[in-house]
Amino acid sequence: MKIQIAPAKAIAVAAFLLGFLGLDSLQAQFHNVGVFRVQILLPARMLVPGSGPAYDSIARKTLRNNDIINLTLGRPLGTRVNRTTEILAAEVTFETHGDPPQSRLIIYDKSQNGAAGVVAVVGTLDFLEWQNAYLRTNNSGFGIGNGTILATSVGNPSENGFMESTLQGGGNCFGRHLYIVSDERAMPRGAVGLQGHLVFVYTDKKGTHNFDGFVVGGRGRIMGRPLGGW
């Protein structure tokens, strides 16, 4: 049975690409895809029912970038993440109104060239609705989206990993009119609010835990120079 949830993976992409949308084929001489660092914070809570005379309790687990990377790769939380070859990033595509969205949340290896640097796809977009404006110096956009978190399929997903999921997010982003991946001026800034049903498995010294709860007030950001493009 497919579990519909809203966790940590494609989450950021839904709003992070909003500042760069609506560009047409006249920009075809430039890169169509840019890769940018993201930061994600997912404060999750889960009900733990009491038994006998015990009261209910609430379990809390906050996932950050390294946690998302480790769970995507089927590794225990706390595993050391390589800062060069395992970067949580948005693979941002020039999107077109009415077409299926293509941007993704990925783990990226910046020591590789272009698409060869995609280590794993964390999540994809299913729906994106936005408005964007060409202002005097910047292209600014805002909107909402949802997508699919891909089930963890590497490492040991029965002990550490995400389940296939859906997500919701909304936010805004802005950047220069032409975001050319090879141009250091391409420095987007965006923020997104996150919420949804978060389900994952993790294993520590106390055993294997199945977390099935909710994220309310999650946050994501994109900013900085591009890591790559193609």
Side-chain angles (χ1 to χ4, degrees):
M1 178 179 70
K2 182 175 179 179
I3 297 177
Q4 299 296 320
I5 59 179
K9 303 185 168 189
I11 293 178
V13 179
F16 286 167
L17 54 81
L18 294 174
F20 309 108
L21 306 176
L23 299 179
D24 57 31
S25 59
L26 294 178
Q27 278 84 39
Q29 66 269 32
F30 304 123
H31 292 286
N32 289 322
V33 176
V35 178
F36 298 87
R37 292 181 186 270
V38 299
Q39 293 181 347
I40 296 176
L41 180 70
L42 295 175
R45 296 182 180 186
M46 181 184 74
L47 168 66
V48 180
S51 59
Y55 290 103
D56 295 341
S57 62
I58 298 175
R60 293 174 170 82
K61 195 74 176 176
T62 298
L63 300 184
R64 295 176 170 83
N65 280 28
N66 287 356
D67 303 316
I68 296 167
I69 291 170
N70 281 326
L71 290 177
T72 300
L73 298 177
R75 305 187 308 207
L77 299 177
T79 300
R80 185 173 181 178
V81 172
N82 189 302
R83 295 183 179 180
T84 299
T85 63
E86 298 172 337
I87 301 170
L88 191 63
E91 179 190 292
V92 182
T93 300
F94 288 139
E95 304 286 359
T96 303
H97 287 280
D99 288 346
Q102 302 178 48
S103 298
R104 309 186 294 180
L105 191 67
I106 62 173
I107 298 172
Y108 193 72
D109 177 357
K110 70 175 184 178
S111 70
Q112 302 297 315
N113 293 320
V118 179
V119 175
V121 178
V122 180
T124 60
L125 280 174
D126 295 331
F127 169 80
L128 185 66
E129 186 175 16
W130 77 93
Q131 295 178 353
N132 64 301
Y134 288 92
L135 305 177
R136 181 177 295 275
T137 58
N138 289 316
N139 188 22
S140 181
F142 43 88
I144 58 175
N146 60 61
T148 298
I149 301 301
L150 304 183
T152 299
S153 59
V154 297
N156 192 347
S158 64
E159 295 186 359
N160 298 283
F162 288 106
M163 294 182 181
E164 186 173 312
S165 325
T166 60
L167 63 89
Q168 304 87 40
N172 60 82
C173 188
F174 68 91
R176 291 180 178 271
H177 288 306
L178 293 179
Y179 106 75
I180 308 168
V181 173
S182 60
D183 190 338
E184 65 179 5
R185 294 176 301 170
M187 296 179 63
R189 293 191 178 188
V192 59
L194 311 171
Q195 67 283 320
H197 188 174
L198 178 62
V199 180
F200 59 94
V201 178
Y202 70 98
T203 301
D204 57 19
K205 294 180 180 179
K206 297 181 180 180
T208 298
H209 311 276
N210 294 285
F211 194 99
D212 185 346
F214 292 89
V215 171
V216 178
R219 304 191 303 273
R221 292 194 304 160
I222 185 172
M223 60 192 309
R225 294 180 172 85
L227 299 172
W230 55 89

PDB file of all heavy atoms in Angstrom, residues 2 12 54-55 60 71 74 82 87 91 101-102 105 109 112 121 152 161 163 182 184-185 189 207-208 211 225 230:
ATOM      1  N   LYS A   2       0.571   2.177  -0.872  1.00  0.00           N
ATOM      2  CA  LYS A   2       1.331   3.422  -0.939  1.00  0.00           C
ATOM      3  C   LYS A   2       0.951   4.331   0.206  1.00  0.00           C
ATOM      4  O   LYS A   2      -0.230   4.591   0.450  1.00  0.00           O
ATOM      5  CB  LYS A   2       1.065   4.134  -2.267  1.00  0.00           C
ATOM      6  CG  LYS A   2       1.863   5.425  -2.433  1.00  0.00           C
ATOM      7  CD  LYS A   2       1.639   6.000  -3.805  1.00  0.00           C
ATOM      8  CE  LYS A   2       2.414   7.300  -3.994  1.00  0.00           C
ATOM      9  NZ  LYS A   2       2.235   7.866  -5.333  1.00  0.00           N
ATOM     10  N   ALA A  12      11.939  20.982  -0.712  1.00  0.00           N
ATOM     11  CA  ALA A  12      12.458  22.311  -0.973  1.00  0.00           C
ATOM     12  C   ALA A  12      12.224  22.750  -2.397  1.00  0.00           C
ATOM     13  O   ALA A  12      11.943  23.914  -2.649  1.00  0.00           O
ATOM     14  CB  ALA A  12      13.937  22.342  -0.672  1.00  0.00           C
ATOM     15  N   ALA A  54      -0.377   4.485  32.062  1.00  0.00           N
ATOM     16  CA  ALA A  54       0.511   5.527  31.538  1.00  0.00           C
ATOM     17  C   ALA A  54      -0.233   6.455  30.595  1.00  0.00           C
ATOM     18  O   ALA A  54      -1.114   6.034  29.834  1.00  0.00           O
ATOM     19  CB  ALA A  54       1.689   4.885  30.808  1.00  0.00           C
ATOM     20  N   TYR A  55       0.111   7.727  30.643  1.00  0.00           N
ATOM     21  CA  TYR A  55      -0.458   8.706  29.733  1.00  0.00           C
ATOM     22  C   TYR A  55       0.212   8.609  28.364  1.00  0.00           C
ATOM     23  O   TYR A  55       1.288   8.035  28.207  1.00  0.00           O
ATOM     24  CB  TYR A  55      -0.275  10.126  30.285  1.00  0.00           C
ATOM     25  CG  TYR A  55      -1.120  10.423  31.494  1.00  0.00           C
ATOM     26  CD1 TYR A  55      -0.547  10.439  32.763  1.00  0.00           C
ATOM     27  CD2 TYR A  55      -2.473  10.692  31.365  1.00  0.00           C
ATOM     28  CE1 TYR A  55      -1.314  10.715  33.891  1.00  0.00           C
ATOM     29  CE2 TYR A  55      -3.255  10.974  32.485  1.00  0.00           C
ATOM     30  CZ  TYR A  55      -2.663  10.984  33.740  1.00  0.00           C
ATOM     31  OH  TYR A  55      -3.430  11.253  34.847  1.00  0.00           O
ATOM     32  N   ARG A  60       9.568  13.467  19.480  1.00  0.00           N
ATOM     33  CA  ARG A  60      10.022  14.551  18.606  1.00  0.00           C
ATOM     34  C   ARG A  60      11.320  14.161  17.916  1.00  0.00           C
ATOM     35  O   ARG A  60      12.218  13.605  18.541  1.00  0.00           O
ATOM     36  CB  ARG A  60      10.223  15.841  19.404  1.00  0.00           C
ATOM     37  CG  ARG A  60       8.935  16.438  19.956  1.00  0.00           C
ATOM     38  CD  ARG A  60       9.230  17.620  20.859  1.00  0.00           C
ATOM     39  NE  ARG A  60       8.040  18.363  21.225  1.00  0.00           N
ATOM     40  CZ  ARG A  60       7.215  18.029  22.201  1.00  0.00           C
ATOM     41  NH1 ARG A  60       7.466  16.941  22.943  1.00  0.00           N
ATOM     42  NH2 ARG A  60       6.148  18.753  22.474  1.00  0.00           N
ATOM     43  N   LEU A  71      19.342   9.169   5.386  1.00  0.00           N
ATOM     44  CA  LEU A  71      18.158   8.336   5.203  1.00  0.00           C
ATOM     45  C   LEU A  71      17.930   8.015   3.726  1.00  0.00           C
ATOM     46  O   LEU A  71      17.527   6.902   3.380  1.00  0.00           O
ATOM     47  CB  LEU A  71      16.934   9.016   5.800  1.00  0.00           C
ATOM     48  CG  LEU A  71      16.895   9.108   7.328  1.00  0.00           C
ATOM     49  CD1 LEU A  71      15.664   9.871   7.783  1.00  0.00           C
ATOM     50  CD2 LEU A  71      16.925   7.719   7.969  1.00  0.00           C
ATOM     51  N   GLY A  74      20.095   5.237   2.863  1.00  0.00           N
ATOM     52  CA  GLY A  74      19.903   4.026   3.651  1.00  0.00           C
ATOM     53  C   GLY A  74      20.936   3.818   4.728  1.00  0.00           C
ATOM     54  O   GLY A  74      21.272   2.677   5.071  1.00  0.00           O
ATOM     55  N   ASN A  82      30.075  13.321   3.429  1.00  0.00           N
ATOM     56  CA  ASN A  82      31.167  13.951   2.700  1.00  0.00           C
ATOM     57  C   ASN A  82      30.694  15.296   2.149  1.00  0.00           C
ATOM     58  O   ASN A  82      29.725  15.350   1.382  1.00  0.00           O
ATOM     59  CB  ASN A  82      31.627  13.042   1.561  1.00  0.00           C
ATOM     60  CG  ASN A  82      32.915  13.545   0.908  1.00  0.00           C
ATOM     61  OD1 ASN A  82      32.975  14.659   0.417  1.00  0.00           O
ATOM     62  ND2 ASN A  82      33.927  12.690   0.896  1.00  0.00           N
ATOM     63  N   ILE A  87      26.100  16.432  -1.280  1.00  0.00           N
ATOM     64  CA  ILE A  87      25.520  17.745  -0.986  1.00  0.00           C
ATOM     65  C   ILE A  87      24.029  17.712  -1.299  1.00  0.00           C
ATOM     66  O   ILE A  87      23.626  17.298  -2.387  1.00  0.00           O
ATOM     67  CB  ILE A  87      26.199  18.840  -1.839  1.00  0.00           C
ATOM     68  CG1 ILE A  87      27.711  18.876  -1.555  1.00  0.00           C
ATOM     69  CG2 ILE A  87      25.575  20.198  -1.559  1.00  0.00           C
ATOM     70  CD1 ILE A  87      28.480  19.765  -2.522  1.00  0.00           C
ATOM     71  N   GLU A  91      18.052  20.616  -8.084  1.00  0.00           N
ATOM     72  CA  GLU A  91      18.326  20.576  -9.519  1.00  0.00           C
ATOM     73  C   GLU A  91      17.201  21.361 -10.186  1.00  0.00           C
ATOM     74  O   GLU A  91      16.097  20.873 -10.354  1.00  0.00           O
ATOM     75  CB  GLU A  91      18.354  19.133 -10.005  1.00  0.00           C
ATOM     76  CG  GLU A  91      18.612  18.981 -11.491  1.00  0.00           C
ATOM     77  CD  GLU A  91      18.389  17.557 -11.947  1.00  0.00           C
ATOM     78  OE1 GLU A  91      19.173  16.680 -11.555  1.00  0.00           O
ATOM     79  OE2 GLU A  91      17.404  17.325 -12.684  1.00  0.00           O
ATOM     80  N   PRO A 101       6.171  19.567 -14.112  1.00  0.00           N
ATOM     81  CA  PRO A 101       7.439  20.106 -13.576  1.00  0.00           C
ATOM     82  C   PRO A 101       8.550  19.078 -13.629  1.00  0.00           C
ATOM     83  O   PRO A 101       8.305  17.876 -13.529  1.00  0.00           O
ATOM     84  CB  PRO A 101       7.083  20.485 -12.138  1.00  0.00           C
ATOM     85  CG  PRO A 101       5.889  19.659 -11.806  1.00  0.00           C
ATOM     86  CD  PRO A 101       5.131  19.463 -13.082  1.00  0.00           C
ATOM     87  N   GLN A 102       9.771  19.553 -13.780  1.00  0.00           N
ATOM     88  CA  GLN A 102      10.920  18.673 -13.946  1.00  0.00           C
ATOM     89  C   GLN A 102      11.972  18.822 -12.857  1.00  0.00           C
ATOM     90  O   GLN A 102      12.859  17.978 -12.733  1.00  0.00           O
ATOM     91  CB  GLN A 102      11.579  18.937 -15.302  1.00  0.00           C
ATOM     92  CG  GLN A 102      10.657  18.755 -16.485  1.00  0.00           C
ATOM     93  CD  GLN A 102      11.338  19.081 -17.784  1.00  0.00           C
ATOM     94  OE1 GLN A 102      12.456  18.625 -18.056  1.00  0.00           O
ATOM     95  NE2 GLN A 102      10.697  19.897 -18.612  1.00  0.00           N
ATOM     96  N   LEU A 105      14.908  17.409  -6.128  1.00  0.00           N
ATOM     97  CA  LEU A 105      15.817  17.529  -4.997  1.00  0.00           C
ATOM     98  C   LEU A 105      16.762  16.343  -5.078  1.00  0.00           C
ATOM     99  O   LEU A 105      16.326  15.196  -5.232  1.00  0.00           O
ATOM    100  CB  LEU A 105      15.053  17.517  -3.680  1.00  0.00           C
ATOM    101  CG  LEU A 105      15.880  17.890  -2.437  1.00  0.00           C
ATOM    102  CD1 LEU A 105      16.302  19.344  -2.494  1.00  0.00           C
ATOM    103  CD2 LEU A 105      15.070  17.634  -1.173  1.00  0.00           C
ATOM    104  N   ASP A 109      27.357  15.492  -6.185  1.00  0.00           N
ATOM    105  CA  ASP A 109      28.805  15.387  -6.041  1.00  0.00           C
ATOM    106  C   ASP A 109      29.434  16.467  -6.900  1.00  0.00           C
ATOM    107  O   ASP A 109      29.475  16.359  -8.129  1.00  0.00           O
ATOM    108  CB  ASP A 109      29.262  13.995  -6.486  1.00  0.00           C
ATOM    109  CG  ASP A 109      30.778  13.816  -6.431  1.00  0.00           C
ATOM    110  OD1 ASP A 109      31.491  14.789  -6.102  1.00  0.00           O
ATOM    111  OD2 ASP A 109      31.243  12.704  -6.729  1.00  0.00           O
ATOM    112  N   GLN A 112      32.263  16.075  -9.738  1.00  0.00           N
ATOM    113  CA  GLN A 112      31.953  15.552 -11.063  1.00  0.00           C
ATOM    114  C   GLN A 112      31.463  16.684 -11.972  1.00  0.00           C
ATOM    115  O   GLN A 112      31.192  17.794 -11.524  1.00  0.00           O
ATOM    116  CB  GLN A 112      30.884  14.468 -10.960  1.00  0.00           C
ATOM    117  CG  GLN A 112      31.262  13.304 -10.076  1.00  0.00           C
ATOM    118  CD  GLN A 112      32.469  12.542 -10.607  1.00  0.00           C
ATOM    119  OE1 GLN A 112      32.547  12.260 -11.797  1.00  0.00           O
ATOM    120  NE2 GLN A 112      33.398  12.214  -9.720  1.00  0.00           N
ATOM    121  N   VAL A 121      18.528  10.756  -6.476  1.00  0.00           N
ATOM    122  CA  VAL A 121      17.373  11.647  -6.548  1.00  0.00           C
ATOM    123  C   VAL A 121      16.580  11.482  -5.258  1.00  0.00           C
ATOM    124  O   VAL A 121      16.123  10.391  -4.933  1.00  0.00           O
ATOM    125  CB  VAL A 121      16.489  11.327  -7.765  1.00  0.00           C
ATOM    126  CG1 VAL A 121      15.266  12.240  -7.775  1.00  0.00           C
ATOM    127  CG2 VAL A 121      17.290  11.490  -9.050  1.00  0.00           C
ATOM    128  N   THR A 152      13.475   5.020  -0.276  1.00  0.00           N
ATOM    129  CA  THR A 152      14.889   4.662  -0.186  1.00  0.00           C
ATOM    130  C   THR A 152      15.091   3.262  -0.754  1.00  0.00           C
ATOM    131  O   THR A 152      14.407   2.313  -0.374  1.00  0.00           O
ATOM    132  CB  THR A 152      15.365   4.708   1.274  1.00  0.00           C
ATOM    133  OG1 THR A 152      15.188   6.048   1.770  1.00  0.00           O
ATOM    134  CG2 THR A 152      16.827   4.313   1.394  1.00  0.00           C
ATOM    135  N   GLY A 161      15.701   4.730   6.399  1.00  0.00           N
ATOM    136  CA  GLY A 161      15.244   5.206   5.106  1.00  0.00           C
ATOM    137  C   GLY A 161      13.863   5.824   5.150  1.00  0.00           C
ATOM    138  O   GLY A 161      13.133   5.734   6.140  1.00  0.00           O
ATOM    139  N   MET A 163       9.984   6.318   3.236  1.00  0.00           N
ATOM    140  CA  MET A 163       8.991   5.658   2.403  1.00  0.00           C
ATOM    141  C   MET A 163       8.550   6.604   1.285  1.00  0.00           C
ATOM    142  O   MET A 163       8.715   7.812   1.393  1.00  0.00           O
ATOM    143  CB  MET A 163       7.785   5.241   3.238  1.00  0.00           C
ATOM    144  CG  MET A 163       8.090   4.181   4.268  1.00  0.00           C
ATOM    145  SD  MET A 163       6.595   3.699   5.169  1.00  0.00           S
ATOM    146  CE  MET A 163       7.299   2.488   6.301  1.00  0.00           C
ATOM    147  N   SER A 182      26.954  29.074 -15.619  1.00  0.00           N
ATOM    148  CA  SER A 182      28.398  29.317 -15.599  1.00  0.00           C
ATOM    149  C   SER A 182      28.731  30.724 -15.127  1.00  0.00           C
ATOM    150  O   SER A 182      29.893  31.099 -15.053  1.00  0.00           O
ATOM    151  CB  SER A 182      28.975  29.105 -17.002  1.00  0.00           C
ATOM    152  OG  SER A 182      28.368  30.002 -17.925  1.00  0.00           O
ATOM    153  N   GLU A 184      28.823  33.556 -12.245  1.00  0.00           N
ATOM    154  CA  GLU A 184      28.824  33.666 -10.790  1.00  0.00           C
ATOM    155  C   GLU A 184      27.740  34.617 -10.288  1.00  0.00           C
ATOM    156  O   GLU A 184      27.406  34.621  -9.115  1.00  0.00           O
ATOM    157  CB  GLU A 184      30.178  34.144 -10.298  1.00  0.00           C
ATOM    158  CG  GLU A 184      30.546  35.553 -10.735  1.00  0.00           C
ATOM    159  CD  GLU A 184      31.891  35.983 -10.192  1.00  0.00           C
ATOM    160  OE1 GLU A 184      32.567  35.155  -9.553  1.00  0.00           O
ATOM    161  OE2 GLU A 184      32.262  37.151 -10.398  1.00  0.00           O
ATOM    162  N   ARG A 185      27.152  35.410 -11.185  1.00  0.00           N
ATOM    163  CA  ARG A 185      26.075  36.307 -10.773  1.00  0.00           C
ATOM    164  C   ARG A 185      24.785  35.549 -10.481  1.00  0.00           C
ATOM    165  O   ARG A 185      23.850  36.115  -9.918  1.00  0.00           O
ATOM    166  CB  ARG A 185      25.831  37.357 -11.847  1.00  0.00           C
ATOM    167  CG  ARG A 185      26.986  38.319 -12.056  1.00  0.00           C
ATOM    168  CD  ARG A 185      26.679  39.260 -13.195  1.00  0.00           C
ATOM    169  NE  ARG A 185      26.443  38.526 -14.437  1.00  0.00           N
ATOM    170  CZ  ARG A 185      25.967  39.083 -15.553  1.00  0.00           C
ATOM    171  NH1 ARG A 185      25.645  40.355 -15.556  1.00  0.00           N
ATOM    172  NH2 ARG A 185      25.786  38.359 -16.641  1.00  0.00           N
ATOM    173  N   ARG A 189      17.912  33.424  -4.235  1.00  0.00           N
ATOM    174  CA  ARG A 189      17.558  33.343  -2.821  1.00  0.00           C
ATOM    175  C   ARG A 189      16.080  33.016  -2.715  1.00  0.00           C
ATOM    176  O   ARG A 189      15.253  33.671  -3.344  1.00  0.00           O
ATOM    177  CB  ARG A 189      17.863  34.664  -2.106  1.00  0.00           C
ATOM    178  CG  ARG A 189      19.341  34.984  -2.022  1.00  0.00           C
ATOM    179  CD  ARG A 189      19.605  36.136  -1.081  1.00  0.00           C
ATOM    180  NE  ARG A 189      21.016  36.421  -0.969  1.00  0.00           N
ATOM    181  CZ  ARG A 189      21.554  37.277  -0.098  1.00  0.00           C
ATOM    182  NH1 ARG A 189      20.762  37.927   0.744  1.00  0.00           N
ATOM    183  NH2 ARG A 189      22.844  37.473  -0.058  1.00  0.00           N
ATOM    184  N   GLY A 207      17.680   0.377  19.102  1.00  0.00           N
ATOM    185  CA  GLY A 207      16.919  -0.476  18.211  1.00  0.00           C
ATOM    186  C   GLY A 207      16.440   0.259  16.976  1.00  0.00           C
ATOM    187  O   GLY A 207      16.896   1.367  16.668  1.00  0.00           O
ATOM    188  N   THR A 208      15.509  -0.360  16.257  1.00  0.00           N
ATOM    189  CA  THR A 208      14.936   0.220  15.048  1.00  0.00           C
ATOM    190  C   THR A 208      13.609   0.885  15.380  1.00  0.00           C
ATOM    191  O   THR A 208      12.755   0.299  16.046  1.00  0.00           O
ATOM    192  CB  THR A 208      14.724  -0.858  13.976  1.00  0.00           C
ATOM    193  OG1 THR A 208      15.996  -1.425  13.625  1.00  0.00           O
ATOM    194  CG2 THR A 208      14.093  -0.274  12.719  1.00  0.00           C
ATOM    195  N   PHE A 211       9.065   5.943  12.656  1.00  0.00           N
ATOM    196  CA  PHE A 211       8.526   7.263  12.970  1.00  0.00           C
ATOM    197  C   PHE A 211       7.410   7.580  11.984  1.00  0.00           C
ATOM    198  O   PHE A 211       7.617   7.613  10.772  1.00  0.00           O
ATOM    199  CB  PHE A 211       9.621   8.326  12.891  1.00  0.00           C
ATOM    200  CG  PHE A 211       9.238   9.639  13.520  1.00  0.00           C
ATOM    201  CD1 PHE A 211       9.655   9.958  14.800  1.00  0.00           C
ATOM    202  CD2 PHE A 211       8.446  10.541  12.836  1.00  0.00           C
ATOM    203  CE1 PHE A 211       9.294  11.160  15.393  1.00  0.00           C
ATOM    204  CE2 PHE A 211       8.079  11.749  13.409  1.00  0.00           C
ATOM    205  CZ  PHE A 211       8.501  12.060  14.695  1.00  0.00           C
ATOM    206  N   ARG A 225      25.961  30.545  -5.066  1.00  0.00           N
ATOM    207  CA  ARG A 225      26.362  30.304  -6.449  1.00  0.00           C
ATOM    208  C   ARG A 225      26.040  28.872  -6.872  1.00  0.00           C
ATOM    209  O   ARG A 225      25.957  27.993  -6.045  1.00  0.00           O
ATOM    210  CB  ARG A 225      27.848  30.584  -6.616  1.00  0.00           C
ATOM    211  CG  ARG A 225      28.234  32.045  -6.422  1.00  0.00           C
ATOM    212  CD  ARG A 225      29.723  32.264  -6.596  1.00  0.00           C
ATOM    213  NE  ARG A 225      30.068  33.686  -6.588  1.00  0.00           N
ATOM    214  CZ  ARG A 225      30.286  34.385  -5.486  1.00  0.00           C
ATOM    215  NH1 ARG A 225      30.195  33.786  -4.302  1.00  0.00           N
ATOM    216  NH2 ARG A 225      30.586  35.661  -5.543  1.00  0.00           N
ATOM    217  N   TRP A 230      23.955  21.907 -16.668  1.00  0.00           N
ATOM    218  CA  TRP A 230      24.089  21.244 -17.959  1.00  0.00           C
ATOM    219  C   TRP A 230      22.923  21.632 -18.880  1.00  0.00           C
ATOM    220  O   TRP A 230      21.985  22.259 -18.447  1.00  0.00           O
ATOM    221  CB  TRP A 230      24.167  19.729 -17.787  1.00  0.00           C
ATOM    222  CG  TRP A 230      23.058  19.120 -17.028  1.00  0.00           C
ATOM    223  CD1 TRP A 230      21.868  18.659 -17.509  1.00  0.00           C
ATOM    224  CD2 TRP A 230      23.022  18.884 -15.614  1.00  0.00           C
ATOM    225  NE1 TRP A 230      21.092  18.171 -16.498  1.00  0.00           N
ATOM    226  CE2 TRP A 230      21.776  18.281 -15.325  1.00  0.00           C
ATOM    227  CE3 TRP A 230      23.920  19.115 -14.564  1.00  0.00           C
ATOM    228  CZ2 TRP A 230      21.400  17.922 -14.022  1.00  0.00           C
ATOM    229  CZ3 TRP A 230      23.539  18.754 -13.288  1.00  0.00           C
ATOM    230  CH2 TRP A 230      22.315  18.166 -13.019  1.00  0.00           C
TER     231      TRP A 230
END
